[in-house]
Amino acid sequence: MSDLRETRLEKARALEALGQTPYALSFAPSHRTAQLQQAHADLAKGEERSEPVAVAGRLMTRRVMGKLAFFTLADESGPIQLYIDKASLEAAHPQNPEIFSQITTLTDAGDWIGVHGTLKRTDRGELSVKVRDWQMLSKSLQPLPDKWHGLADVEKRYRQRYLDLIVSPHTRETFRRRALLVSSMRRWLDEREFLEIETPVLQSQAGGADARPFATHHNALDLPLTLRIATELHLKRLVVGGFERVYELGRIFRNEGVSTRHNPEFTSVEIYQAYADYHDMMALTETLIATCCQTVCGSTVIEYQGTSIDLTPPWTRATMHELVQRATGLDFNAFTSRAEAAAAMQAVDLVVPEAADSVGRLLVEAFEQRVESSLIQPTFVLDYPVENSPLARTHRSKPGLVERFELFIVGRETANAFSELIDPVDQRHRLEAQQERRRAGDPEAQTVDEDFIHALEVGMPPTGGLGIGIDRLVMLLTDSPSIRDVIAFPLLRPEVGSDAMR
RNA sequence: GGGUCGCUAGCUCAGCGGUAGAGCACUCGGCUUUUAACCGAUUGGUCCUGAGUUCGAAUCUCAGGCGACCCA
């Protein structure tokens, strides 16, 4: 293994001995390879064009046969073949009779090189740059992954994402789509006069969600701090301050397990619109996501893991009660006590966790056990129990419920929205109830943020609020089975005692 | 936390109780139409770690480590 590296280092030294650098300062390509492929699509087999071009990129494969060599050079736009003919290369460099053996022996797959030349389509039909001159731009000291199998080791794909990107077009496409999704989402919001305002990541009190935060510390103030678990409470303060449409798209941190659907740092967008309720936010959600899907995928009907998903609005709307009743036969509106609901659940083989200490929490349990994973096409699930939703406004007509929806696609929660609770007295009672649960041992229960309550007392207009999980949306739009496929550098346990990272 | 599977050359893998293997990559030789180039030769090993069973363990057993997937 170190032999490979040593061999390449020797080639770098050989270049230096020839008065060339293995690490160039710059190069000026005239075209990207895809431009050439497009512009010369009409060039016939065996024909040449004398138009001079300069291209740069990474050597992917090399095929040397005596006095002729074919290299594949790839830049960001794609590959092009280099046609390296000993006779014509030497004719262009009468002072350097070794030039052909230099390009064939001092280069390796993985090197960045720049070449000048003209165009030729080979007898086999491959558009090629016929090389007149070449320059090492950056000598690679490490081998590329197996050229047939690529990076089969899933862990290595995440740990050494640069290798994955080099050899996996699908991975490159995934991160292109991710960038396109984020920019198109921002553009859509900006065009509708939503302001993106950044709120603190470092907070003395993490709030806005049921989750455990990461703890850190500020030295100068000797202050314990946590990383944010949501942007909700600060964005709402901005609405109190008079910004009627605000959002923030950014990183959230939750000190939780790692799975194919969870990474401890992930990206969300939270959107708040004054004078709107959760019905307005449903319309916004389906239009926003469908628009972004159209931009990123070119259609609102997409394929995810072999299943066709239709994101064309409008999407199905159903209450949690309806969905649970349809799936289990149980009417949770009829239960008057937890014991009654628990007995009914057990009768249909539903698990009844002790922590679910109310009819409402049991309803959510039944939903999660029997409904959630079956919601493949986009579905708005409406009207959650009040005890699970301390920041949502109580339902205008259904006692015990709040005006909240979650959006499910391919069985995954993808968005969450409320008619926001703006009544400061009710809000204090709700957060105090949460704090009581926290004292009783629930580490994810929320706390009372006095300044937030104070802001509500100053006065917040009626507001609709929405949060969308960007990573899960990217998974959907890139047909990725794991959240780690859509995060460039997902959290992994650090490697110990290995030279693989050398 | 529970279950299943995996860990052997730089990479992808075979070998499953009897001398450590193949393809690719690397190095050398040959080759002016290849594109997984081809032909020939050479090089390359802590078979994840430890203990046990056995005349003999990459292979069987136990414990541990790391990882993947599923479930909670």
Side-chain angles (χ1 to χ4, degrees):
Chain A
M1 142 183 51
S2 64
D3 289 348
L4 293 175
R5 185 166 173 274
E6 188 53 41
T7 302
R8 288 177 174 223
L9 272 173
E10 275 168 21
K11 292 178 182 180
R13 288 192 282 265
L15 281 166
E16 285 173 332
L18 290 167
Q20 300 173 35
T21 172
Y23 300 102
L25 275 167
S26 64
F27 187 82
S30 62
H31 298 81
R32 285 203 165 172
T33 64
Q35 291 177 303
L36 292 176
Q37 299 280 11
Q38 196 175 359
H40 300 280
D42 61 326
L43 188 60
K45 282 181 185 175
E47 298 292 309
E48 300 194 27
R49 269 183 193 148
S50 57
E51 174 186 337
V53 298
V55 292
R58 173 179 272 121
L59 279 182
M60 301 306 291
T61 59
R62 302 180 335 122
R63 297 174 292 281
V64 181
M65 46 211 66
K67 300 183 179 66
L68 181 67
F70 299 95
F71 290 1
T72 305
L73 182 81
D75 67 13
E76 193 182 336
S77 73
I80 195 162
Q81 180 167 269
L82 304 183
Y83 178 94
I84 307 164
D85 167 47
K86 184 167 191 277
S88 57
L89 190 61
E90 283 176 356
H93 296 264
Q95 77 294 353
N96 182 5
E98 297 301 312
I99 188 162
F100 182 78
S101 80
Q102 284 163 9
I103 192 172
T104 54
T105 61
L106 298 181
T107 58
D108 290 287
D111 291 349
W112 292 87
I113 71 169
V115 304
H116 289 86
T118 52
L119 291 162
K120 172 185 174 72
R121 190 174 296 281
T122 63
D123 297 346
R124 297 296 182 86
E126 186 76 35
L127 183 68
S128 309
V129 174
K130 185 172 177 183
V131 175
R132 180 164 295 174
D133 197 9
W134 78 286
Q135 181 186 357
M136 180 67 73
L137 300 181
S138 183
K139 183 70 195 167
S140 168
L141 303 182
Q142 296 284 346
L144 289 180
D146 191 290
K147 65 182 171 187
W148 300 349
H149 306 92
L151 264 193
D153 182 342
V154 181
E155 185 192 356
K156 193 166 242 177
R157 281 195 4 230
Y158 301 143
R159 285 197 193 279
Q160 298 178 250
R161 182 69 88 182
Y162 38 89
L163 291 181
D164 185 28
L165 289 166
I166 290 168
V167 299
S168 311
H170 185 264
T171 303
R172 292 196 293 274
E173 178 62 15
T174 293
F175 291 105
R176 264 190 216 113
R177 286 188 182 199
R178 181 170 183 133
L180 192 53
L181 171 75
V182 167
S183 65
S184 64
M185 192 171 272
R186 282 203 163 103
R187 191 175 327 119
W188 192 92
L189 289 163
D190 295 346
E191 282 166 358
R192 281 154 190 80
E193 299 188 315
F194 284 87
L195 282 185
E196 180 167 29
I197 300 184
E198 291 168 281
T199 66
V201 171
L202 292 172
Q203 306 177 345
S204 55
Q205 187 176 15
D210 301 339
R212 302 166 80 160
F214 285 91
T216 184
H217 186 264
H218 186 268
N219 291 340
L221 297 181
D222 189 19
L223 188 64
L225 290 171
T226 61
L227 305 187
R228 67 182 177 193
I229 56 174
T231 48
E232 174 150 3
L233 301 187
H234 285 92
L235 288 171
K236 283 178 172 174
R237 284 173 169 92
L238 293 169
V239 178
V240 169
F243 289 117
E244 295 176 0
R245 295 180 172 213
V246 292
Y247 75 98
E248 182 175 9
L249 195 160
R251 205 70 59 83
I252 302 294
F253 307 86
R254 294 186 182 175
N255 205 336
E256 294 167 350
V258 170
S259 78
T260 51
R261 293 178 300 280
H262 298 89
N263 194 64
E265 54 178 310
F266 62 97
T267 302
S268 80
V269 58
E270 284 193 35
I271 302 167
Y272 293 85
Q273 179 176 344
Y275 320 123
D277 66 9
Y278 76 145
H279 292 290
D280 298 317
M281 299 319 278
M282 264 180 265
L284 186 156
T285 302
E286 61 191 3
T287 307
L288 170 60
I289 292 180
T291 301
C292 291
C293 181
Q294 180 71 42
T295 302
V296 172
C297 302
S299 167
T300 53
V301 181
I302 58 173
E303 181 105 342
Y304 184 77
Q305 302 293 294
T307 302
S308 178
I309 306 295
D310 188 351
L311 295 171
T312 313
W315 300 342
T316 303
R317 290 151 166 78
T319 68
M320 182 176 282
H321 281 82
E322 288 165 0
L323 291 167
V324 167
Q325 183 160 17
R326 211 176 296 161
T328 67
L330 302 181
D331 179 6
F332 274 75
N333 283 316
F335 300 135
T336 55
S337 71
R338 179 188 185 276
E340 190 184 345
M345 282 173 69
Q346 277 160 344
V348 293
D349 292 326
L350 283 158
V351 178
V352 179
E354 210 167 313
D357 56 3
S358 68
V359 174
R361 289 184 204 278
L362 286 177
L363 169 69
V364 174
E365 274 297 329
F367 173 78
E368 288 175 354
Q369 289 176 44
R370 287 290 165 80
V371 181
E372 200 171 290
S373 64
S374 68
L375 300 176
I376 304 302
Q377 300 300 323
T379 306
F380 291 116
V381 179
L382 279 61
D383 301 344
Y384 283 58
V386 64
E387 51 268 50
N388 276 52
S389 314
L391 302 170
R393 181 188 196 106
T394 50
H395 198 279
R396 63 195 75 184
S397 62
K398 299 173 182 171
L401 303 182
V402 293
E403 298 202 348
R404 170 184 183 182
F405 72 79
E406 288 189 315
L407 168 66
F408 288 84
I409 309 175
V410 294
R412 288 198 285 259
E413 179 201 340
T414 304
N416 181 25
F418 317 140
S419 300
E420 298 296 342
L421 175 52
I422 60 171
D423 174 345
V425 176
D426 191 4
Q427 183 66 86
R428 175 177 291 283
H429 289 152
R430 302 260 213 106
L431 288 178
E432 281 173 352
Q434 284 285 309
Q435 196 150 277
E436 199 48 50
R437 284 184 75 79
R438 194 181 182 84
R439 278 198 205 95
D442 182 351
E444 295 193 352
Q446 301 188 30
T447 54
V448 180
D449 181 331
E450 288 295 344
D451 181 71
F452 172 63
I453 303 276
H454 188 261
L456 292 189
E457 292 194 356
V458 169
M460 178 167 159
T463 298
L466 165 68
I468 300 174
I470 297 296
D471 309 275
R472 291 179 182 183
L473 198 52
V474 178
M475 287 169 69
L476 183 70
L477 300 189
T478 58
D479 197 17
S480 299
S482 169
I483 196 169
R484 288 176 167 181
D485 296 326
V486 302
I487 294 175
F489 302 99
L491 182 73
L492 299 169
R493 194 186 300 277
E495 264 186 321
V496 288
S498 166
D499 63 355
M501 301 299 284
R502 186 196 51 200

